Amino acid sequence: MIRLDAIGKQHGSQILFLDASCALFKGEKVGLVGPNGSGKSTIFRMIVSEEEPDAGDVYVDRGTTIGYFSQDTGDMHGMSVVAATLEGAGPVAQAGIKMRELEAKLADPELGDEMMAVVEEFGEAQARYEELGGYALDARAREILNGLGFSQETMDGDVGALSGGWKMRVALARILLMKPDVMLLDEPTNHLDIESIIWLESFLKQFDGALMMTCHDREFMNRIVNKIAEIDSGSLTLFTGNYEFYVKQRAVLNQQQESEFERQQAMLKKEEAFIARFKARASHAAQVQSRVKKLDKIERVEPPKREQRVQFTFPEAPRSGDDVVNIQSVHKQYGQKVIYDDFSLLVRRTERIAVMGINGAGKSTLLKMIAGSTAPDTGKVQIGASVTMGYFAQHAMELLKPEDTVWEALVSRFPKASIGSLRTLCGAFGFSGGDVEKVCRILSGGEKARLVMAQMLYEPPNFLVLDEPTNHLDLSTKETLLEALEGYSGTMIFVSHDRHFLRRLSNRVLELTPQGVHLYGGGYSEYVAETGQEAPGLRV
C-alpha cells in the first residue's frame, strides 16, 4: 500500500535517512522505533506529502485513504465535540455540515419566499446524509468518544473549551471514526488514561487496515504491532514480531556484531603488527605486500551503531520510620463533588503503592494531600518520623529557571557533586553532548520531565510521591527510570497509566471506585489476576 524507496532526507546538517527503504502492506501493524530526533515523525510527514524526501521516492497506492494523527491538533472551536469529531469523517461530514446549514435557514423567518426551495434542498441533503450512514455515524462517533473518556455532557459541549490534552483525544477520535485504509499514529497514547489506552488497544486490534505508529507505551506496542521498523543511523530495518521480540533480537544482533567487530579488530591488529615489524626487511617484502593488499580488500565491520543506554546507580536512600504516612478520617470535596469521605490509609516503609481509579476518582488529589500542596477539608495527613519526601507532578517542571541550562540546573542543585557523576546522570536521563547546554526555556515537556526526575533521584529522599512520572518519556528513558526505581530502597506511592511501569514497580494497589476504596496486598499483576480487570471497571 505504501513504499519508501531508497529515500534520503537531511534537516540542516543532520542526516536522517540515507538510501533507506521499507514498505507497509494491507493488514500489517508496524511499530516505528528509533531515538528521539531520528526521523520517526518525518517518515509520517513524507507519506502524507507534508515533506518531500531529498532523494528516492514515496509511493502510495492509488485510492488509498490515509488517516494521520500527529501531536498538532490544529484549530478547534465554534462547534460541539461530536461535530468536531464528525468533521473528520470525509464526505459524510460535508453532508452533515450542509444539513446543519439548511436547518438554520429553516428556522429563519425572513426567508419566507424561499422556504419551499430550502425545504426541498434540505430533503435532498438529509437523504444524502442518510445514504452515507450519517445517522449511524453520529452514534459511532459517540461510542468512540466514550471509549476515549468523554462524558455525554462533554460530547455536546464546546470543543473550544477543552484543554490541549482533551483536544488531542478529539483529533484521535476523528481518525478512528474515519476508518481509513491506513492509519499513521504518532504517539496516540499521549494524554490518555489507562482506561482509554486499553479501549484504544481493543479498537486497533480489530482494525483491519494497515497501521504504522510510534508509541512510548511498551505494553501497548507489544499487544498491537506485528512488525517493528527501526530507524538506525539513517537506515530502516524491519523486524517481524512485537516490540518485546524486537528488543531481544536487537540485543542478539548487537552482541553478534560486537563479537565480529572485536574478532576483526584483533586480526587487524595482528596483521598491522606484522607489517610494521617486517616492512623494512627485503626478505619479507613479498609477505608484507601481500598482507597490505589483503587488508585493503577487507570489508571493515562497524561496531553496533545503536546508542547504548547509560546506567546510573543511585545512592541509598536514608531509612525512615516504619509508618511513613498516616491518613486519618479525611474528607475532601470540590464544590458539590465529594472526592473522599472518612478516608483512612496507613503507608508503611518499603511499600510501593500504585493508585488506580477512573478520571476524577481523586488519584492526584490524594498525592497532593500527602505532599502537602492541598489540605483535606477535615481529617489529618501525618508524615512519619525521619521521612524525607520527593514529589513529582507536572507543575514541578514549571519550577525550573527558564534561563538556566540543563547543566546549570544540576550544578546549582548539587554544588558539591563531582563533574563525572553529574555527566553520568545527564547521560542516564538522555542529555548527552551539547544537550546539557540547552536552556530550560526551550526544553520539550519530555526533556523537562527528565531533568526534574534527575534532580530528584540523584540524592533520593526515602519517600517518593510520583504523579504520572513517565509522561512524555521515551522508551529508553523509561527503562532507565524503571531500573533506577527498582533498585530504590525507600517507600513509594505513585499514579501511572503505563502498565509495564505498574507491573514492575508496585507491591500494593490502591483502587479508588465509586463503591469505595480497596487496598490490594499484591502488586499490579496480582491485582489483575484477582479482579479480572486491568483498570477499575474494565474487564480483561
Side-chain angles (χ1 to χ4, degrees):
M1 301 181 81
I2 294 174
R3 193 169 86 253
L4 283 72
D5 189 11
I7 59 168
K9 186 67 178 177
Q10 186 167 340
H11 283 170
S13 60
Q14 183 185 8
I15 297 174
L16 296 178
F17 300 103
L18 191 63
D19 199 30
S21 300
C22 77
L24 178 66
F25 299 102
K26 184 174 175 59
E28 285 187 336
K29 293 180 168 66
V30 177
L32 190 58
V33 302
N36 280 343
S38 61
K40 297 188 293 292
S41 296
T42 302
I43 289 277
F44 291 151
R45 289 195 292 270
M46 286 193 293
I47 290 172
V48 297
S49 300
E50 287 183 5
E51 286 192 39
E52 295 295 327
D54 300 331
D57 296 289
V58 178
Y59 299 102
V60 178
D61 285 353
R62 187 185 298 277
T64 299
T65 57
I66 297 176
Y68 172 36
F69 171 75
S70 69
Q71 297 298 304
D72 180 14
T73 61
D75 186 26
M76 289 189 189
H77 68 279
M79 63 183 84
S80 71
V81 169
V82 169
T85 304
L86 290 169
E87 194 179 48
V92 68
Q94 297 305 314
I97 292 169
K98 179 69 173 175
M99 201 169 72
R100 285 193 295 275
E101 289 173 354
L102 292 168
E103 281 175 346
K105 284 187 176 182
L106 287 173
D108 187 348
E110 295 186 7
L111 293 176
D113 295 342
E114 303 171 33
M115 193 58 71
M116 287 304 295
V118 173
V119 168
E120 187 176 338
E121 192 178 357
F122 176 77
E124 291 171 359
Q126 190 175 40
R128 175 65 175 155
Y129 187 67
E130 188 171 357
E131 178 191 345
L132 292 169
Y135 291 108
L137 197 69
D138 184 272
R140 205 164 94 238
R142 290 178 183 273
E143 182 184 345
I144 289 169
L145 289 167
N146 180 62
L148 293 176
F150 289 88
S151 67
Q152 291 298 324
E153 181 183 1
T154 308
M155 290 179 206
D156 293 315
D158 180 9
V159 69
L162 297 178
S163 67
W166 284 94
K167 283 180 179 175
M168 294 290 291
R169 296 191 192 205
V170 175
L172 178 58
R174 282 178 165 183
I175 304 300
L176 303 183
L177 181 65
M178 180 184 174
K179 289 185 72 175
D181 300 316
V182 177
M183 283 193 200
L184 306 177
L185 304 181
D186 195 359
E187 297 297 341
T189 61
N190 276 5
H191 308 288
L192 298 186
D193 53 37
I194 190 168
E195 290 81 8
S196 298
I197 288 172
I198 293 168
W199 178 88
L200 178 60
E201 183 181 285
S202 175
F203 185 99
L204 293 178
K205 278 181 181 177
Q206 296 168 33
F207 175 61
D208 58 6
L211 168 69
M212 182 180 278
M213 71 174 181
T214 64
C215 186
H216 292 162
D217 187 318
R218 184 180 185 133
E219 191 127 349
F220 185 83
M221 189 100 92
N222 269 336
R223 298 189 188 191
I224 299 295
V225 305
N226 50 34
K227 278 190 176 180
I228 294 290
E230 176 197 69
I231 303 175
D232 185 7
S233 302
S235 64
L236 276 164
T237 308
L238 280 173
F239 294 78
T240 299
N242 66 7
Y243 183 78
E244 205 72 40
F245 176 81
Y246 156 74
V247 170
K248 292 174 183 174
Q249 188 68 12
R250 170 43 67 194
V252 169
L253 292 174
N254 277 355
Q255 184 58 51
Q256 289 173 346
Q257 190 173 352
E258 184 69 42
S259 298
E260 193 177 341
F261 173 74
E262 287 174 358
R263 281 196 300 271
Q264 190 182 70
Q265 288 299 302
M267 182 272 291
L268 292 173
K269 189 174 181 182
K270 184 178 176 181
E271 294 293 319
E272 286 165 355
F274 179 91
I275 292 167
R277 182 179 176 187
F278 294 108
K279 66 180 179 180
R281 298 188 187 181
S283 60
H284 288 76
Q287 288 175 285
V288 168
Q289 198 61 31
S290 173
R291 295 197 183 197
V292 168
K293 288 179 180 177
K294 176 185 170 184
L295 290 189
D296 287 341
K297 292 177 182 177
I298 288 175
E299 188 175 339
R300 302 299 169 107
V301 175
E302 296 291 331
K305 294 178 288 185
R306 292 192 58 76
E307 182 181 352
Q308 301 297 311
R309 280 191 301 111
V310 179
Q311 302 298 314
F312 189 87
T313 304
F314 295 98
E316 184 79 9
R319 182 188 170 105
S320 69
D322 287 338
D323 293 351
V324 176
V325 181
N326 192 1
I327 300 173
Q328 302 169 30
S329 303
V330 158
H331 181 92
K332 182 68 179 177
Q333 69 184 78
Y334 294 105
Q336 298 300 309
K337 185 173 182 179
V338 176
I339 307 296
Y340 293 102
D341 188 25
D342 197 28
F343 169 66
S344 296
L345 174 70
L346 177 62
V347 180
R348 304 276 292 170
R349 188 175 66 84
T350 73
E351 285 187 326
R352 298 171 170 216
I353 300 176
V355 184
M356 302 191 68
I358 62 171
N359 271 336
K363 301 185 294 294
S364 293
T365 298
L366 174 60
L367 268 52
K368 287 176 182 176
M369 288 194 294
I370 290 172
S373 64
T374 293
D377 299 332
T378 60
K380 187 162 60 172
V381 178
Q382 187 172 354
I383 304 300
S386 304
V387 171
T388 56
M389 187 190 307
Y391 175 43
F392 177 87
Q394 299 307 304
H395 77 267
M397 298 185 285
E398 298 167 11
L399 303 179
L400 296 169
K401 293 180 181 177
E403 299 308 320
D404 273 1
T405 64
V406 169
W407 183 252
E408 288 167 346
L410 291 172
V411 170
S412 62
R413 182 76 173 263
F414 308 109
K416 296 182 180 178
S418 71
I419 289 177
S421 68
L422 288 184
R423 289 208 176 276
T424 305
L425 179 70
C426 287
F429 282 91
F431 297 106
S432 58
D435 290 341
V436 298
E437 297 304 322
K438 286 184 177 178
V439 294
C440 294
R441 173 174 45 80
I442 67 166
L443 296 180
S444 68
E447 287 171 324
K448 287 179 181 177
R450 298 202 310 263
L451 178 54
V452 170
M453 199 65 67
Q455 288 179 327
M456 182 185 298
L457 294 178
Y458 182 69
E459 293 178 355
N462 53 33
F463 180 40
L464 290 176
V465 180
L466 307 176
D467 195 355
E468 297 287 7
T470 62
N471 268 8
H472 309 297
L473 298 186
D474 61 29
L475 285 162
S476 177
T477 310
K478 275 187 184 181
E479 201 61 29
T480 297
L481 177 61
L482 261 173
E483 289 171 3
L485 292 178
E486 281 181 318
Y488 171 71
S489 59
T491 307
M492 196 185 309
I493 187 165
F494 65 96
V495 172
S496 177
H497 62 241
D498 189 306
R499 286 163 290 174
H500 184 62
F501 196 84
L502 290 167
R503 209 178 299 281
R504 295 238 321 240
L505 282 188
S506 60
N507 58 24
R508 299 283 187 276
V509 172
L510 181 69
E511 183 186 56
L512 311 177
T513 73
Q515 292 72 42
V517 177
H518 309 281
L519 182 62
Y520 293 85
Y524 178 71
S525 294
E526 291 79 7
Y527 164 80
V528 173
E530 184 175 340
T531 64
Q533 60 189 29
E534 291 191 295
L538 290 178
R539 306 307 299 174
V540 173

